[in-house]
Amino acid sequence: MNKISTQLPSIIAIDGPAASGKSTIGLRLANALGYLFFDTGVMYRAITWLALERGIDVRAEAAVSALAEEAQIDVAPASQPDGRACDVLVDGRDITWETRSRKVDANVSIVAAYHGVRKALSQQQRRIGQRGKIVMVGRDIGTVVLPDADLKIYLDATAEERARRRYDEIIARNGKADYDKILESVMERDRIDSTRDVAPLRAAEDAIVLDSDKLTADEVFEQVLVLVK
Ligand code: CDP
């Protein structure tokens, strides 16, 4: 290993509210460093999609938690150049875009608040994260999943700005989106994520908070690179 690489943080945690740009920045950072990029949100989305697909009531905590324990979720490098950061597979089926549906958006925070779901998924995340050379993105990575991370970043922005970014993203992908509905959904998810009992969304005490409201993705990335190097 050369001298420079040993000085880089090996475990990097990026947390923040919905659509704060964590995945975009996290993926770019991982690519720049040659690290693994792991977006933990896709796991909560996959369980939510699976519950809906099987007709399980997302309010049935025990049934949804059992699903999280038994489901085979795999996250693999993107197999198609269609804007995805990675492939999301459940029991071998590619559900990458299904996990981004409005229905999943509307239900994922309910599922992610369950203790049993969080226990099952955080264990898997911790096992992968502790191997190092990783950029892990989520809501509780710096606080709960990897509290000993070498670098913790908390990416923030106003709900309006985050909804605008999500709106642009959806328009670019399939041309149809309703800004007011997106804003409502983003705010509702933030409310549930930050008030839940288990691992609520918050910045770790030793996290560096970056307010990205007035910054472009390139500017945020530059600031993150300074923190890393
Ligand atoms: O991409 P976006 O920021 O909209 O959401 P996401 O990162 O895919 O996360 C979807 C949902 O999963 C969040 O609203 C949380 O309810 C939950 N989540 C969580 O509880 N803990 C994590 N480490 C990651 C996501």
Side-chain angles (χ1 to χ4, degrees), residues 5-72:
S5 68
T6 56
Q7 288 168 345
L8 293 174
S10 178
I11 300 180
I12 302 176
I14 306 181
D15 290 301
S20 54
K22 305 175 300 286
S23 308
T24 311
I25 296 300
L27 179 62
R28 273 180 77 174
L29 183 60
N31 286 342
L33 298 174
Y35 283 15
L36 178 71
F37 170 66
F38 189 168
D39 178 0
T40 58
V42 302
M43 298 182 85
Y44 293 94
R45 288 177 177 275
I47 297 300
T48 307
W49 174 83
L50 194 57
L52 295 168
E53 171 80 1
R54 293 202 184 161
I56 296 171
D57 182 355
V58 293
R59 307 245 164 220
E61 178 166 357
V64 176
S65 299
L67 201 59
E69 272 168 39
E70 76 174 51
Q72 193 65 49

Side-chain angles (χ1 to χ4, degrees), residues 18-19 22 40 45 109 112 118 139-140 166 189 193 196:
K22 305 175 300 286
T40 58
R45 288 177 177 275
S109 290
R118 299 207 72 81
R139 300 289 186 292
D140 60 340
R166 185 55 44 97
R189 274 203 291 136
D193 291 347
R196 69 187 175 213

Side-chain angles (χ1 to χ4, degrees), residues 47-217:
I47 297 300
T48 307
W49 174 83
L50 194 57
L52 295 168
E53 171 80 1
R54 293 202 184 161
I56 296 171
D57 182 355
V58 293
R59 307 245 164 220
E61 178 166 357
V64 176
S65 299
L67 201 59
E69 272 168 39
E70 76 174 51
Q72 193 65 49
I73 308 171
D74 285 309
V75 181
S79 63
Q80 293 178 55
D82 60 359
R84 62 181 65 194
C86 58
D87 284 7
V88 185
L89 306 158
V90 167
D91 298 328
R93 175 170 164 193
D94 184 340
I95 57 150
T96 309
W97 290 119
E98 282 89 336
T99 64
R100 297 280 149 196
S101 72
R102 281 241 297 272
K103 195 130 194 240
V104 170
D105 268 356
N107 289 285
V108 64
S109 290
I110 298 168
V111 166
Y114 295 148
H115 179 72
V117 171
R118 299 207 72 81
K119 192 165 166 238
L121 300 189
S122 348
Q123 268 171 4
Q124 298 181 44
Q125 293 160 12
R126 194 167 297 124
R127 193 170 32 80
I128 296 167
Q130 281 169 346
R131 295 181 196 149
K133 289 203 160 197
I134 190 162
V135 178
M136 198 179 275
V137 167
R139 300 289 186 292
D140 60 340
I141 310 307
T143 51
V144 175
V145 178
L146 299 168
D148 296 327
D150 303 306
L151 174 66
K152 300 180 186 178
I153 296 170
Y154 187 87
L155 210 51
D156 211 352
T158 58
E160 287 74 15
E161 173 61 19
R162 290 183 283 119
R164 194 191 57 73
R165 290 181 195 162
R166 185 55 44 97
Y167 173 87
D168 290 345
E169 206 177 287
I170 298 171
I171 292 286
R173 202 165 68 224
N174 59 20
K176 248 176 74 193
D178 178 330
Y179 173 82
D180 291 336
K181 286 216 173 82
I182 294 170
L183 178 61
E184 201 181 300
S185 155
V186 157
M187 288 171 78
E188 177 62 2
R189 274 203 291 136
D190 286 355
R191 188 188 65 74
I192 303 176
D193 291 347
S194 50
T195 56
R196 69 187 175 213
D197 290 338
V198 204
L201 166 68
R202 63 177 176 80
E205 274 175 20
D206 50 351
I208 293 152
V209 179
L210 278 185
D211 183 350
S212 72
D213 232 25
K214 306 230 155 45
L215 303 176
T216 63

